[in-house]
Coordinates of all heavy atoms in Angstrom, one line a residue:
A289 N 5.3 -2.5 -18.0 CA 6.2 -1.5 -18.7 C 7.2 -1.0 -17.7 O 8.4 -0.8 -18.1 CB 5.4 -0.4 -19.2
G290 N 6.8 -0.8 -16.5 CA 7.7 -0.3 -15.5 C 7.4 -0.8 -14.1 O 6.5 -0.2 -13.5
A291 N 8.0 -1.8 -13.6 CA 7.6 -2.4 -12.3 C 7.7 -1.5 -11.2 O 6.8 -1.4 -10.3 CB 8.4 -3.7 -12.1
A292 N 8.7 -0.7 -11.2 CA 8.9 0.2 -10.0 C 7.8 1.3 -10.0 O 7.3 1.6 -8.9 CB 10.3 0.9 -10.1
S293 N 7.5 1.8 -11.1 CA 6.4 2.8 -11.2 C 5.1 2.3 -10.7 O 4.4 2.9 -10.0 CB 6.3 3.4 -12.6 OG 7.5 4.0 -12.9
M294 N 4.8 1.1 -11.2 CA 3.5 0.4 -10.9 C 3.5 0.1 -9.4 O 2.4 0.3 -8.7 CB 3.4 -0.8 -11.7 CG 2.1 -1.5 -11.4 SD 0.7 -0.5 -11.5 CE -0.5 -1.3 -10.4
R295 N 4.6 -0.3 -8.8 CA 4.6 -0.7 -7.4 C 4.3 0.6 -6.6 O 3.5 0.5 -5.6 CB 6.0 -1.2 -7.1 CG 6.1 -1.7 -5.6 CD 4.9 -2.6 -5.3 NE 5.1 -3.0 -3.9 CZ 5.4 -4.3 -3.6 NH1 5.5 -5.2 -4.5 NH2 5.4 -4.6 -2.3
A296 N 4.8 1.7 -7.0 CA 4.5 2.9 -6.3 C 3.0 3.3 -6.4 O 2.4 3.7 -5.5 CB 5.4 4.1 -6.9
A297 N 2.5 3.0 -7.6 CA 1.0 3.3 -7.8 C 0.2 2.5 -6.9 O -0.8 3.0 -6.3 CB 0.6 3.1 -9.3
I298 N 0.5 1.2 -6.8 CA -0.3 0.4 -5.9 C -0.2 0.8 -4.4 O -1.1 0.9 -3.7 CB 0.1 -1.1 -6.0 CG1 -0.5 -1.6 -7.3 CG2 -0.4 -2.0 -4.9 CD1 -0.1 -3.1 -7.5
S299 N 1.1 1.1 -4.1 CA 1.3 1.5 -2.7 C 0.6 2.8 -2.3 O 0.0 2.9 -1.3 CB 2.8 1.8 -2.5 OG 3.6 0.6 -2.7
V300 N 0.6 3.8 -3.2 CA -0.1 5.0 -3.0 C -1.6 4.8 -2.9 O -2.3 5.3 -2.0 CB 0.2 6.1 -4.1 CG1 -0.8 7.3 -3.9 CG2 1.6 6.5 -4.0
A301 N -2.2 3.9 -3.8 CA -3.6 3.7 -3.9 C -4.1 3.1 -2.6 O -5.3 3.3 -2.2 CB -3.9 2.8 -5.1
S302 N -3.3 2.3 -1.9 CA -3.9 1.6 -0.8 C -3.1 1.9 0.5 O -3.2 1.1 1.5 CB -3.8 0.1 -1.0 OG -2.5 -0.3 -1.3
F303 N -2.3 3.0 0.5 CA -1.5 3.2 1.7 C -2.2 3.3 3.0 O -1.9 2.7 4.0 CB -0.7 4.5 1.4 CG 0.2 4.9 2.6 CD1 1.4 4.2 2.9 CD2 -0.2 5.9 3.4 CE1 2.2 4.6 3.9 CE2 0.6 6.3 4.5 CZ 1.8 5.6 4.8
A304 N -3.3 4.1 2.9 CA -4.0 4.4 4.2 C -4.6 3.1 4.8 O -4.5 2.8 5.9 CB -5.2 5.4 3.9
G305 N -5.2 2.3 3.9 CA -5.8 1.0 4.3 C -4.7 0.1 4.8 O -4.9 -0.6 5.9
R306 N -3.6 0.0 4.1 CA -2.5 -0.9 4.5 C -1.9 -0.5 5.9 O -1.6 -1.3 6.7 CB -1.4 -1.0 3.5 CG -1.8 -1.9 2.3 CD -0.7 -2.0 1.3 NE -1.1 -3.0 0.3 CZ -0.5 -3.1 -0.9 NH1 0.6 -2.4 -1.1 NH2 -0.9 -4.0 -1.8
K307 N -1.8 0.8 6.1 CA -1.2 1.3 7.3 C -2.1 0.8 8.5 O -1.6 0.4 9.5 CB -1.2 2.8 7.3 CG -0.5 3.4 8.6 CD -0.4 4.9 8.4 CE 0.2 5.5 9.7 NZ 0.3 7.0 9.6
Y308 N -3.4 0.9 8.3 CA -4.3 0.4 9.3 C -4.2 -1.1 9.5 O -4.1 -1.6 10.7 CB -5.8 0.7 8.9 CG -6.8 0.0 9.7 CD1 -7.1 0.5 11.0 CD2 -7.5 -1.1 9.2 CE1 -8.1 -0.2 11.8 CE2 -8.4 -1.8 10.0 CZ -8.7 -1.3 11.3 OH -9.7 -1.9 12.0
Q309 N -4.1 -1.9 8.4 CA -4.0 -3.3 8.5 C -2.6 -3.7 9.2 O -2.6 -4.6 10.0 CB -4.1 -4.0 7.2 CG -5.4 -3.8 6.5 CD -6.5 -4.4 7.3 OE1 -6.3 -5.3 8.1 NE2 -7.8 -4.0 7.0
F310 N -1.5 -3.0 8.8 CA -0.2 -3.4 9.4 C -0.2 -3.2 10.9 O 0.5 -3.9 11.6 CB 0.9 -2.6 8.7 CG 1.1 -2.9 7.3 CD1 1.7 -2.0 6.4 CD2 0.7 -4.1 6.8 CE1 1.9 -2.3 5.1 CE2 0.9 -4.4 5.4 CZ 1.5 -3.5 4.6
A311 N -1.0 -2.2 11.4 CA -1.0 -1.9 12.8 C -1.5 -3.1 13.6 O -1.1 -3.3 14.8 CB -1.9 -0.7 13.1
R312 N -2.3 -4.0 13.0 CA -2.8 -5.2 13.7 C -2.2 -6.5 13.3 O -2.7 -7.5 13.5 CB -4.3 -5.2 13.6 CG -4.9 -5.3 12.2 CD -6.4 -5.1 12.3 NE -7.0 -5.2 11.0 CZ -7.5 -6.4 10.5 NH1 -7.4 -7.5 11.2 NH2 -8.0 -6.4 9.3

C-alpha cells in the first residue's frame, strides 16, 4: 500500500541490530 512507510517500519524494527551488523 505504501512502500515508503513500510520501508520505515522495517528500518525501525531492526535498526539496533543492523547498526551492530554494519559496524563489522
Side-chain angles (χ1 to χ4, degrees):
S293 298
M294 180 54 205
R295 184 49 179 251
I298 285 182
S299 297
V300 170
S302 59
F303 175 77
R306 281 184 176 167
K307 184 177 180 181
Y308 169 77
Q309 296 296 342
F310 293 158
R312 59 190 181 93

